[in-house]
Amino acid sequence: MDPKDAISLENYWPLPYDVMLRKGYTKHKTGLPTQVESLMPYNGPVTRKLFAASGTAFYDVTSAGAVGAAVVTGLTNARWEDINITTAGGSYLLAINGTDRLRGYDGTNWWTDGDGTHDITGLTGTTSTITNINLFKNRVWLIQGSTLKAWYLPVNSIAGVASAIDLQSIVRSGGHLVAMGTWTIDAGFGVDDFAAFITSEGEIAVFRGTDPDNAVSWALTGVWNIGAPFSTRCMMKFGGDLLVLTYDGLYPLAEALQSSRLDPRVAITNKIYSAISDATTNYGSSNGWEMEYYAKANMLFINIPVAVGAQQQFAMNTITKAWTNFTGIYSNCWCIFGDEPYFGGNAYVGKFWGAWSDDSTNIVGNAKQAFNYFGMRGATKRWTMMRPTLRTNGTPTVLVALNTDFSDFDPTGQLSFSSSPAGLWDSALWDQGLWGASLNVSNAWQGINGQGYCAAVRLKVASAGIEIHWAATDLVMEKGGVL
């Protein structure tokens, strides 16, 4: 491995200039009846609302505090897919779950498809069979579960007579449609949006055009085979591309269609290929897979549903393309609301990346750098001193160790810190207490004892309310003979 890589990076966030103990979360909304499995933002031109699906109901979780009465009741499950659409009639939130009829919200009231005012007709069955929803070229598209049919509504409409395109004569491997995404590319005739449909067998059918009813303005661009998806939340718009999550990893569609099976290195998850492969294999059938992009932190992350109460996140810095693993955030779903990340937990909605603790508890970071031969692969070495360079605004608990010759044991040697002489707010005397710097540098030498051919630095941190950055590590060693 590259010496600048890490074998494991848990709860550290890789920045362009150092790694930082990640920020944590606070409980934004509490008192929900059970696990929150869907978060649905409504983004109107003036009004913004955030709704959570928990148990058999929807709740307004826009403001912080204890939850109020349910705004929608009598539902079958809490696993909903949603979109926002604005028409001449207003701005709307539309949601489906594959079991109940479509629900809609207009900024004031919720309604149900079939209420006599917001009726969707023409389907084989009702909207209770719709498992995925998308907005493409001013049309609402509905993917019908266990079929190869995609239904679309009239332009700029939230109801009306739906029409279908059937992909059963287009895809070669059969199966059923899982999801639809909007892909923005330049295919030689200017930048345009394309409709991309993915099947349960991993086939992608891409269409170009605006009106599926008109053969002149609607055409099949091609059909490709990539890895099979395992979740209806397997597509996410990312810049001008479309990200697709499959058993093979996370791919940008533009590169996946050309060479994903021939060259897996085009995957965004190439650096964590083994970890993502293990996760998709072991937990692919579990509910809770989701991708999200948090622009303020340049963070792209994937929610990994290891188990309820044991979920993890694989997160990538989109600037450096470095990956890390977040633990301790037990989330079923995610969304960006008001440019901030929120997640659904056990009877609460959490707000992420706004505190230096996980709901006032410690964040535990554990890192293991790549093994390094220090330019002398065949020579034995003895390491005697280590100096991690940290920047922090407190006195965290930090343990360090040196693993040699591919050994693996947790750090036990504790670093000592000198606290800043800064005054404490609301306690220090005005004009007498010292103003402290935002971050103080700590780089004390510590004795270690290690012998072998190669070594990897381990650094473990447990902290609540303290900011910690790890910038560098210096080592003192003696060169031995060649054995």
Side-chain angles (χ1 to χ4, degrees):
M1 295 177 64
D2 188 315
K4 295 186 293 295
D5 285 345
I7 295 173
S8 62
L9 200 62
E10 179 181 349
N11 285 333
Y12 286 99
W13 177 235
L15 295 167
Y17 40 83
D18 60 27
V19 292
M20 175 186 78
L21 188 69
R22 68 161 174 83
K23 293 184 181 181
Y25 70 87
T26 55
K27 288 184 177 179
H28 170 74
K29 203 73 170 182
T30 58
L32 287 102
T34 183
Q35 298 283 345
V36 176
E37 297 188 278
S38 303
L39 290 174
M40 301 173 291
Y42 168 78
N43 296 310
V46 177
T47 303
R48 289 190 172 189
K49 292 279 189 178
L50 180 61
F51 297 98
S54 178
T56 58
F58 292 165
Y59 298 85
D60 186 339
V61 295
T62 307
S63 59
V67 73
V71 295
V72 176
T73 60
L75 305 173
T76 304
N77 64 57
R79 299 173 182 178
W80 292 77
E81 310 292 327
D82 64 280
I83 62 166
N84 277 248
I85 177 175
T86 298
T87 71
S91 296
Y92 306 95
L93 168 66
L94 304 180
I96 53 88
N97 72 347
T99 305
D100 299 299
R101 282 179 177 261
L102 178 145
R103 273 11 185 223
Y105 179 72
D106 61 9
T108 304
N109 300 306
W110 282 93
W111 78 82
T112 303
D113 163 48
D115 64 358
T117 304
H118 309 90
D119 296 351
I120 297 176
T121 61
L123 295 169
T124 304
T126 68
T127 52
S128 63
T129 62
I130 302 303
T131 56
N132 189 256
I133 187 169
N134 187 46
L135 181 64
F136 176 74
K137 294 290 182 70
N138 306 107
R139 294 180 187 267
V140 175
W141 286 77
L142 307 168
I143 303 300
Q144 192 165 31
S146 302
T147 74
L148 285 167
K149 288 185 178 180
W151 299 83
Y152 55 93
L153 297 182
V155 173
N156 294 322
S157 299
I158 59 171
V161 180
S163 303
I165 63 170
D166 197 334
L167 274 67
Q168 64 180 355
S169 61
I170 295 174
V171 297
R172 298 177 291 273
S173 301
H176 62 270
L177 285 179
V178 174
M180 176 191 181
T182 301
W183 182 29
T184 305
I185 61 169
D186 186 346
F189 34 78
V191 176
D192 196 7
D193 284 343
F194 287 64
F197 302 88
I198 188 167
T199 73
S200 57
E201 309 309 302
E203 282 189 89
I204 292 259
V206 177
F207 290 84
R208 172 176 58 87
T210 56
D211 186 0
D213 294 322
N214 188 336
V216 176
S217 63
W218 182 261
L220 176 67
T221 300
V223 180
W224 292 265
N225 190 277
I226 62 175
F230 47 87
S231 168
T232 55
R233 298 176 181 178
C234 61
M235 288 182 165
M236 186 185 78
K237 195 74 183 293
F238 184 64
D241 214 329
L242 183 66
L243 299 184
V244 184
L245 182 62
T246 73
Y247 278 108
D248 289 349
L250 181 62
Y251 285 87
L253 191 59
E255 297 185 32
L257 296 189
Q258 297 182 37
S259 58
S260 65
R261 284 299 173 90
L262 297 176
D263 184 4
R265 290 174 298 177
V266 301
I268 291 178
T269 50
N270 176 55
K271 292 283 282 189
I272 56 167
Y273 180 82
S274 180
I276 194 68
S277 178
D278 289 345
T280 57
T281 299
N282 294 329
Y283 318 118
S285 60
S286 300
N287 178 68
W289 286 92
E290 189 163 2
M291 297 170 286
E292 199 57 80
Y293 174 60
Y294 178 35
K296 285 185 177 181
N298 301 298
M299 182 188 296
L300 173 68
F301 56 90
I302 308 170
N303 199 54
I304 313 294
V306 176
V308 176
Q311 296 92 331
Q312 302 180 13
Q313 298 77 39
F314 292 168
M316 184 190 77
N317 187 311
T318 56
I319 296 175
T320 65
K321 304 300 187 289
W323 284 89
T324 185
N325 181 30
F326 293 160
T327 60
I329 307 168
Y330 305 132
S331 57
N332 303 299
C333 58
W334 290 81
C335 80
I336 300 297
F337 179 67
D339 297 323
E340 301 296 339
Y342 292 80
F343 67 91
N346 184 14
Y348 72 93
V349 173
K351 184 178 181 182
F352 184 49
W353 213 252
W356 293 103
S357 67
D358 284 344
D359 192 32
S360 301
T361 64
N362 277 347
I363 300 172
V364 179
N366 199 343
K368 181 178 182 178
Q369 290 186 254
F371 281 93
N372 192 342
Y373 285 93
F374 299 94
M376 299 173 285
R377 189 177 183 91
T380 59
K381 307 163 190 73
R382 185 168 73 92
W383 291 271
T384 58
M385 299 285 285
M386 178 191 297
R387 183 176 65 179
T389 298
L390 304 176
R391 295 186 299 127
T392 180
N393 58 358
T395 56
T397 300
V398 180
L399 304 178
V400 294
L402 198 68
N403 290 177
T404 59
D405 291 351
F406 305 99
S407 61
D408 187 26
F409 55 86
D410 270 344
T412 57
Q414 183 169 342
L415 290 180
S416 59
F417 286 86
S418 298
S419 60
S420 169
L424 182 64
W425 189 262
D426 276 344
S427 297
L429 295 177
W430 192 262
D431 282 339
Q432 295 183 30
L434 297 177
W435 290 94
S438 58
L439 294 173
N440 298 307
V441 176
S442 174
N443 56 357
W445 284 101
Q446 177 166 321
I448 57 172
N449 183 22
Q451 185 170 331
Y453 292 95
C454 58
V457 174
R458 296 290 301 270
L459 192 140
K460 189 173 184 178
V461 175
S463 172
I466 298 174
E467 183 177 355
I468 305 168
H469 294 254
W470 180 19
T473 305
D474 298 310
L475 294 167
V476 174
M477 69 178 184
E478 299 173 351
K479 179 183 176 182
V482 177
L483 299 178

